[in-house]
Amino acid sequence: METLAALGHGFLVALTPYNLLWSAIGVTVGTAVGVLPGIGPALTVALLLPVTYGLEPTSAFIMFAGIYYGAMYGGSTTSILLNAPGESGSIVTAIDGHAMARQGRGAQALATAAIGSFIAGTIATAALTFVAPLMVKLALLFGPAEYFALMVLALTTVTAVLGSSLARGLASLFLGLALGLVGIDMQTGQARLAFGVPELLDGIDTVVVAVGLFAVGETLYVASRHRFETEEIYALKGSKWMSREDWSRSWKPWLRGTLLGFPIGTLPAGGSEIPTFLSYLVEKRLAKKPEEFGKGAIEAVAGPEAANNASAAGVLAPLLSLGLPTSATAAIMLAAFQQYGLQPGPTLFDNNPELVWGMIASLYIGNVLLLVLNLPLVGFWVKLLLIPRPWLYAGILVFSSLGAYTLNNNVVDLVILWVIGLVGFGMRVLNVPVAPCVVGLILGPLAEQQFRRALAISQGDPSVFLTHPISAALLIIAALLVIGPMVLRYRNNGAGNGSSSSPSGTHPAT
């Protein structure tokens, strides 16, 4: 009842004309930018992060929630009509969605994606409403040692899971941790890594780093790989609505995708990739016509797209209740909280209930607005795909630069933006994941603060992290995440070498 009363108050906040306007603007802009080819939710959120800077916090996060959900919706349009998924979670949608578009059924593919996203988003947001307060109660049991261990676990999971190489992930993480050290030490008052630049004494703005890595770096990378050829966009033919058969083949995948997406999205190593691929495999196994998969099966669009959007709500549960980002997009959202001097976690629900519950209520409203936007206006969103790529890339870079400058009206921020952007470009070329860098920048200083606090309470005894059962368990899991892949790789290499080599001196008899 307490939760429902809080949600009711959140609706009162979100349904004021002023906040409703920002929610509508957020979902519209999020969808419009998310539709653009080569731009995923992480880049969309990073690009639009500076836009919310001048707003009052509650309105800003209501708009931000709209941008987040809108960007998730927008990605399906590009995947289906252009076969250009903007993020890894949309790869599965593109397989059969684009095949449907080639058959002239692009409208039906977009419809099942939009309706499935609405259903999955609404159910997952309802789950978020009740799961987040439970996670807050769990977090209240944590002391400094447990929080430090939890942040170490978050850092290692993001590093180990995002990217193909543990070494590259650790390199990205340590770069982020180093950037987090810049500025004045809060405990001793000493300047660290400021190099005599007064603007660096306050530290490097997380928004500048997020925009640099995800907007500037990603845009430079995509532009460098772009071949200036005419891309074929399949027109929407015939009826824009789903047939009775389409409905009957879609509603079960929508529900199954939701059940897969939300729980996996809440896990530290969840994200949207695992539930979308799982949903595809489940639907193929349960389908009456499995031979259609890969050739335009509507179930293969409905299920993964529902799982993708349900995981987006799942990501918000650990972010709001524990302050843990479990995906690249969540890391940028954490940067948005820091932009307003807010730290997600148990205290956020106590100190800023209007903001938290207003934001959660706005997710319900945003889902309805997105359904209204996506179904009738699909023809308009398709026209955005026709923007020439050079104009698109130039616009993103100019918009990113203006946004970074207006944060503090500081030229140093512009220099940092482009240095970080070039570093991000190099990381993408070398296949180094950029998300661990952002997570390290945000969580590194917080982990250091909790580490020092735990040592101060225990009078300098480092065993405090192992004598507390929760912190010891979290640290063991973090260690296994780092050591486990190395052991498996070593064993596989050893097995491979053993099988390829033959015993010396053994020759067949002649």
Side-chain angles (χ1 to χ4, degrees), residues 251-456:
W251 72 270
K252 288 180 181 177
W254 290 335
L255 298 178
R256 285 192 288 259
T258 306
L259 290 176
L260 284 171
F262 182 80
I264 295 175
T266 60
L267 299 176
S272 59
E273 300 87 354
I274 298 172
T276 51
F277 277 98
L278 277 177
S279 175
Y280 185 87
L281 294 173
V282 167
E283 296 310 324
K284 188 173 183 180
R285 176 157 298 203
L286 297 176
K288 293 178 180 177
K289 301 176 182 177
E291 67 279 359
E292 288 187 9
F293 277 65
K295 301 175 184 176
I298 196 167
E299 299 95 330
V301 179
E305 196 59 28
N308 190 21
N309 281 271
S311 69
V315 161
L316 293 176
L319 178 68
L320 292 174
S321 55
L322 301 174
L324 290 183
T326 57
S327 69
T329 312
I332 300 169
M333 292 191 73
L334 186 57
F337 277 100
Q338 292 208 331
Q339 178 177 277
Y340 284 92
L342 300 170
Q343 177 55 42
T347 55
L348 187 68
F349 280 75
D350 291 331
N351 299 337
N352 302 89
E354 190 174 280
L355 186 151
V356 174
W357 290 107
M359 178 181 172
I360 292 174
S362 74
L363 294 174
Y364 290 95
I365 298 165
N367 257 320
V368 176
L369 292 174
L370 281 165
L371 190 65
V372 173
L373 277 173
N374 275 268
L375 289 179
L377 299 180
V378 66
F380 172 75
W381 302 128
V382 171
K383 285 184 171 58
L384 291 178
L385 297 174
L386 301 174
I387 295 175
R389 293 297 181 90
W391 294 11
L392 174 62
Y393 300 144
I396 291 173
L397 294 178
V398 170
F399 194 76
S400 302
S401 302
L402 288 172
Y405 180 77
T406 54
L407 288 175
N408 301 304
N409 294 325
N410 192 342
V411 178
V412 174
D413 282 345
L414 269 182
V415 175
I416 294 172
L417 174 78
W418 278 92
V419 170
I420 294 291
L422 291 172
V423 170
F425 170 67
M427 291 168 72
R428 289 288 281 117
V429 170
L430 298 173
N431 200 24
V432 176
V434 294
C437 181
V438 178
V439 175
L441 170 65
I442 296 168
L443 291 187
L446 299 176
E448 179 191 10
Q449 185 182 4
Q450 298 294 345
F451 179 78
R452 285 177 161 184
R453 191 175 293 169
L455 288 180

Side-chain angles (χ1 to χ4, degrees), residues 133-155:
L134 293 176
M135 295 180 78
V136 166
K137 289 180 181 177
L138 174 67
L140 291 173
L141 302 173
F142 285 20
E146 287 80 9
Y147 264 115
F148 170 73
L150 188 65
M151 289 175 187
V152 170
L153 176 62
L155 292 169

